[in-house]
Amino acid sequence: MVWTGIITDVRVSDVRFPTSLTLDGSDATNRDPDYSAAYVVIETDRRDGVTGHGLAFTIGRGTEVVVAGIHALRHLVVGKPIAAFTSSPGEFWKLLTGDSQIRWLGPDKGVMHLATAAVVNALWDLWAKLEQKPLWKLLSELSPEQIVELVDWRYLSDALTPEEARRSLDRLVPTRDARAAAMLDEGYPAYTTSVGWLGYPDEKIRRACREGIEQGFSRFKLKVGLDLGDDLRRTALVRDMIGPEHTLMIDANQRWGVEQAIEWVRRLAPTRPWWIEEPTSPDDVLGHAAIARALEPLGIGVASGEHCANSVMFKQFMQAGAISFCQIDFCRLAGVNEVVAVLLLAAHFGVPVCPHAGGVGLCEYVPHASLFDYIAVSASLERRCIEFVDHLHEHFVDPCVVRGGRYLAPTAPGTSITMKADSLAAHTFPGGQVWQDLSERS
Amino acid sequence: MVWTGIITDVRVSDVRFPTSLTLDGSDATNRDPDYSAAYVVIETDRRDGVTGHGLAFTIGRGTEVVVAGIHALRHLVVGKPIAAFTSSPGEFWKLLTGDSQIRWLGPDKGVMHLATAAVVNALWDLWAKLEQKPLWKLLSELSPEQIVELVDWRYLSDALTPEEARRSLDRLVPTRDARAAAMLDEGYPAYTTSVGWLGYPDEKIRRACREGIEQGFSRFKLKVGLDLGDDLRRTALVRDMIGPEHTLMIDANQRWGVEQAIEWVRRLAPTRPWWIEEPTSPDDVLGHAAIARALEPLGIGVASGEHCANSVMFKQFMQAGAISFCQIDFCRLAGVNEVVAVLLLAAHFGVPVCPHAGGVGLCEYVPHASLFDYIAVSASLERRCIEFVDHLHEHFVDPCVVRGGRYLAPTAPGTSITMKADSLAAHTFPGGQVWQDLSERS
């Protein structure tokens, strides 16, 4: 239906959680993250008072730059009818990413792309709340024609045309309902990263492995890349704890050059990792391809995407056979529209999508993408799972729920990203109570 | 020598020139640029009062986001000894690009990379002024070992190792002086883009071609990509005006998809363009490679780089044979250090470097890169030229000088980027006189 109302404001907050105090989230590159977000609320003149919430995940310093980026997009949003977005979300996305002066700052990458993600996702949150549906359901009920319209095809159609995408979406329409029912019954497979942050001592890793198995997980990810001796010990430790029947993944967070990556991972191969994640620069398509070729005989796949700048980069990672696992990030890509573009590309290339999560809000966001992927785009769960970190969910009104190693289908209207007002206030940087207390203590 | 003193402040201004009023600088993607800059002044506690100036070129809206990005880097610079930079500029560059929290916003791309460029280049300006040398001379007098130290090799050494780079630099040391003398005598070849901004009517193009030839230019660049009929007429017009003996380049500013680029340029081939610049997304290495393969039989090269995010991307463009001309941008790459990295890669792959200029300040910056390239890195002028647009130079204390179609070697100490105080004040956005007057008029 056509939603009435005008967008009247885009409010932005700088929200930070002092996670660096506990080394949760520490890895070879991101040693002391304070999980943070530039948090957006879109307001309208509607009498029902519905607001759209969205965020871009960051890790501390520099969040204020993303906030400035969101302010720079204000003029493209405020004053527009809600229907300008809901009737042509693809056109609206092009408007947001195509400002003739702001585009110079990218295009389609870095701070402005994160800022765009927060705004785009807030618009989707608004729409889904108006429709009274969780985002995955709203997306899964769009027609193939509407789904294809979400995407900017200009730089993608050499790999996949909109007509091809539409034809494969068409084929899955008759069976969508059965897959949606399965998702509501069984949920979507998750894996846990909580066993092996780089700052964790061995005993904490052992305990986390035991807890993960008790909680029903079968896939476990460990951070590597700082010291080969440590990595040999820690991968063996996790393999020992989880047994031969479970799955081990390793994540180097961009630590290595291309040749170093190949050598290092070869040494860890006896512990049979399923994938090596971010072995080198996230921009290095050809480097990832070289690593993938070298590790393929060992049965180790290459995973990447949490720092992949945009759909044009993902296109190339797939064209070059550089990744075996596509790790979309819900707010590094410029929101739902570009996530959909990458899901379509991944289905076309037969690359499974295993979204990046953790952080703050990402575990809330990504089940919507994976459920939609299964119901309407790839129709497969094979080699697919969503990252899970049990962390900071208490700050959300509709937090994700993981049981028995599976994400339950979100049921509340929207994108699950609305933060509790108390949490938002307490963690606002630098004025919130949490940061005031920390600054007094130091 | 070791320079004493501590960096005490990083001042930033948002400077904008209302160039959209005249359509100078208009192209198929950037239709209404207001040439702008986030402008940095680094202050120290030295008694001689030397300051380091640097800028990141932008085109209007969003410059304030780059300003916010520069503020976010302050803590990495203020309080540091000048010698921390001048004794290990490569280590300092890694510090600036490697902040463990800010890195999440890139890495190495978009707003934060532009911000880094402004700061890095201001540090080089400070150093060159202390040395009382123009930047090109400071660089050309560094030892091969010092040059190799400037570069972060982690993600580049699969294509070129520091040892290989050092060996080729070594070979050119004995002949540096002769090439430096030639540069001081003859200057460096330029080409002009002033003949064909997309907003120009045909008569203005004719006049600009005549003027260009009178001024001694032999290479002329025309903007294309909005309308094929217009492009056929305008390329024929320029070819007719400049005659068969001169060189025509065309620039689509990312307007096309891959297949569209190939078809469109084939239609323009009869006017014999030397290169097609930015035929598609600046992130699409594989797309550029496909275009390059298709156009090679027609004798048309592919040029790209003004939007190339970083040295890892340039590495791949060269590995894939995707560009015949490497168009470094002095402040999209993170300043002098990364420019040097790309010059070394280009020399290794045998790709000529033809820097992007125009805008505001770029024509001042890039002769320093090209002179250094000729003197110490590539030792060749073949298929090489620097873009020139005769525009906004009056705002600089040491503006570039182009005579007879050649850039003269800069002689003033520094990087030629210090802006006149009056110009800076009048064009500060939004408070400067120029913008106050415009806002009163509208």
Side-chain angles (χ1 to χ4, degrees), chain A residues 27 30 35 57 59 191 193 197 221 223 251 253 275 277-278 304-307 326-332 353-363 365-367 370 385-389 407, chain B residues 104:
Chain A
D27 63 52
N30 312 296
Y35 284 167
F57 171 57
I59 62 173
Y191 75 85
T193 304
W197 299 110
K221 193 166 83 183
K223 300 289 182 177
D251 183 356
N253 291 89
W275 78 44
E277 181 172 334
E278 288 202 309
S304 193
E306 76 180 61
H307 266 93
C326 169
Q327 301 181 302
I328 53 157
D329 184 292
F330 209 81
C331 32
R332 187 170 300 276
V353 175
C354 301
H356 169 237
V360 59
L362 296 181
C363 294
Y365 265 147
V366 293
S370 286
C385 47
I386 305 174
E387 184 165 21
F388 177 65
V389 182
Y407 273 90
Chain B
W104 188 266

Side-chain angles (χ1 to χ4, degrees), chain B residues 310-340:
Chain B
N310 55 45
S311 52
V312 176
M313 293 300 295
F314 268 120
K315 177 187 76 168
Q316 295 176 84
F317 274 100
M318 296 181 203
Q319 287 174 315
I323 52 173
S324 304
F325 300 92
C326 168
Q327 300 180 302
I328 53 156
D329 184 292
F330 209 81
C331 32
R332 186 169 302 275
L333 293 170
V336 172
N337 299 62
E338 200 173 22
V339 166
V340 169

